[in-house]
Amino acid sequence: MENFAVIDLGSNSCRMTITQIQADGSYTVTHRLKEMVRLSENENATDTPTLQTDAIDRTITALKSFSAVYKDLPNLNIKAVATAATRKASNQKKFLKRVKNEVGLDIEVIPGTTEAYYDYLGVVNTLPTTNCVMVDTGGGSCELVLIVNGQAKELISLPIGAVSLSEKFGLNDQVTASQLFKTMTFVDKIFNSVWWLRNGLNLPLVCLGGSNRTLAKINRRKCNILNFEDIHGYRLRDNAIYDTFNTVISQDAAGRAAIPGLAKDRADIIVGGMIPAISLMRFLDSDRMIFSQNGLREGILFEHLTTLAEQNAKVSD
């Protein structure tokens, strides 16, 4: 039996999943932990992206709390990855060295395309996604994958996310029409630069990331659905999505924090977090979203399970 821990250090949150894997390949998820660390906060305050001391301190504290959970587990295997905020930070090496010294953890900074591929693995192994466009909106980046006949045909990571857009365009509190127009125009131009996106016209969107999942949670709460946070495979039509987005942008931060299904610690970045998927839906003339609870961490798990299966097959031969 192996305890396989996956740590995903994003721009907004730090998450960990621990899975017990048996010798026959069966597995059980034993832990799911999340801390909102806002690692990318004020990272772009200067011309050179730099992780700020307060954000680093919050992240170190979160990683130490994770360590307390896994440190005594037998046969432990850890894969820790960092994404957009760490990827672009000028003080990346200094930050990773501090994590190693204080937590004893080696973190791999993965390229955006690798992040997108892990998202794809997490989705295709748990949802019937034959033809679609997958979008994962994080704190500092947005991963897109064109899935054709179940295969990742094209993938890319774009430098737009909930925290970065909110800070760049001042979307943290009340949002004006001018701010909204400027933000969506900025995002539309980025989508226009991705030549293969037009091949996804009229396809459904498969949505990952906390901001996108919030769209589903708000609607499930509105419909009084039990276990409203269980959104895996949940579908929404375009009209319901646009109505929800309209509700969110019409409120200031305090008003958004009071919306059922919207986590209070996302109230200041939720507008920026929803805009990429909303803009993409309009860009592709898509009429529905399908939500996935699984993404990068699950993709890493499925890759690991495949490797174990291949190793076992070689031993059997």
Side-chain angles (χ1 to χ4, degrees):
M1 185 271 290
E2 174 190 11
N3 281 294
F4 185 58
V6 180
I7 296 174
D8 169 16
L9 177 54
S11 302
N12 188 45
S13 63
C14 184
R15 299 168 185 260
M16 180 175 72
T17 301
I18 301 177
T19 306
Q20 282 189 354
I21 304 173
Q22 305 301 325
D24 62 359
S26 62
Y27 62 91
T28 303
V29 176
T30 58
H31 299 80
R32 295 184 191 274
L33 302 175
K34 178 180 75 170
E35 294 289 344
M36 304 298 283
V37 297
R38 202 69 65 89
L39 180 60
S40 65
E41 186 174 59
N42 296 321
E43 183 178 13
N44 298 308
T46 61
D47 293 337
T48 304
T50 305
L51 298 175
Q52 302 300 306
T53 301
D54 287 348
I56 291 175
D57 289 343
R58 289 194 298 267
T59 302
I60 294 290
T61 299
L63 291 173
K64 285 181 177 178
S65 71
F66 288 176
S67 175
V69 174
Y70 64 67
K71 65 182 179 68
D72 294 325
L73 293 177
N75 198 18
L76 177 67
N77 185 5
I78 303 174
K79 185 175 179 65
V81 300
T83 55
T86 310
R87 195 156 53 223
K88 66 181 182 180
S90 60
N91 56 342
Q92 174 192 126
K93 290 183 179 179
K94 183 178 179 181
F95 167 60
L96 295 178
K97 184 177 180 180
R98 185 177 166 192
V99 171
K100 176 65 174 178
N101 290 339
E102 296 189 28
V103 188
L105 185 66
D106 291 305
I107 297 181
E108 176 187 357
V109 182
I110 59 174
T113 50
T114 301
E115 182 180 357
Y117 183 69
Y118 281 140
D119 282 336
Y120 158 74
L121 289 180
V123 167
V124 297
N125 281 282
T126 59
L127 284 177
T129 49
T130 305
N131 297 291
C132 63
V133 175
M134 191 206 76
V135 52
D136 177 9
T137 308
S141 67
C142 179
E143 283 65 51
L144 303 178
V145 181
L146 175 63
I147 300 176
V148 179
N149 296 324
Q151 301 298 312
K153 188 73 173 178
E154 306 283 352
L155 48 79
I156 194 171
S157 179
L158 301 172
I160 50 176
V163 178
S164 57
L165 286 175
S166 296
E167 290 182 350
K168 181 179 181 67
F169 293 99
L171 307 176
N172 303 94
D173 202 359
Q174 189 68 57
V175 179
T176 67
S178 175
Q179 288 171 317
L180 186 63
F181 177 74
K182 288 178 181 178
T183 309
M184 298 191 82
T185 300
F186 175 78
V187 171
D188 285 344
K189 286 183 176 180
I190 290 178
F191 288 156
N192 267 312
S193 70
V194 183
W195 66 268
W196 51 262
L197 259 184
R198 294 292 180 183
N199 295 330
L201 282 173
N202 305 129
L203 292 180
L205 296 187
V206 174
C207 296
L208 295 73
S211 295
N212 292 335
R213 293 175 185 130
T214 297
L215 280 166
K217 291 176 183 179
I218 291 173
N219 275 272
R220 287 172 69 86
R221 281 293 298 268
K222 184 178 180 180
C223 296
N224 294 317
I225 298 175
L226 294 177
N227 300 320
F228 75 95
E229 293 190 342
D230 183 17
I231 54 91
H232 194 62
Y234 188 60
R235 296 168 179 252
L236 277 178
R237 302 292 295 194
D238 49 357
N239 288 338
I241 291 163
Y242 295 146
D243 285 347
T244 300
F245 184 59
N246 183 59
T247 297
V248 170
I249 62 175
S250 66
Q251 301 289 327
D252 60 12
R256 295 195 292 268
I259 296 174
L262 198 161
K264 290 180 175 59
D265 54 13
R266 287 190 185 277
D268 62 330
I269 59 168
I270 193 61
V271 175
M274 287 182 175
I275 282 177
I278 296 292
S279 296
L280 186 62
M281 190 171 208
R282 294 161 64 91
F283 186 86
L284 297 178
D285 195 21
S286 177
D287 65 354
R288 63 197 183 280
M289 287 183 180
I290 304 167
F291 297 90
S292 175
Q293 194 70 46
N294 297 334
L296 183 147
R297 294 182 311 286
E298 290 75 21
I300 291 174
L301 170 63
F302 288 124
E303 178 187 64
H304 184 64
L305 291 171
T306 298
T307 300
L308 290 177
E310 291 172 349
Q311 290 173 348
N312 290 335
K314 288 180 181 180
V315 172
S316 298
D317 291 342

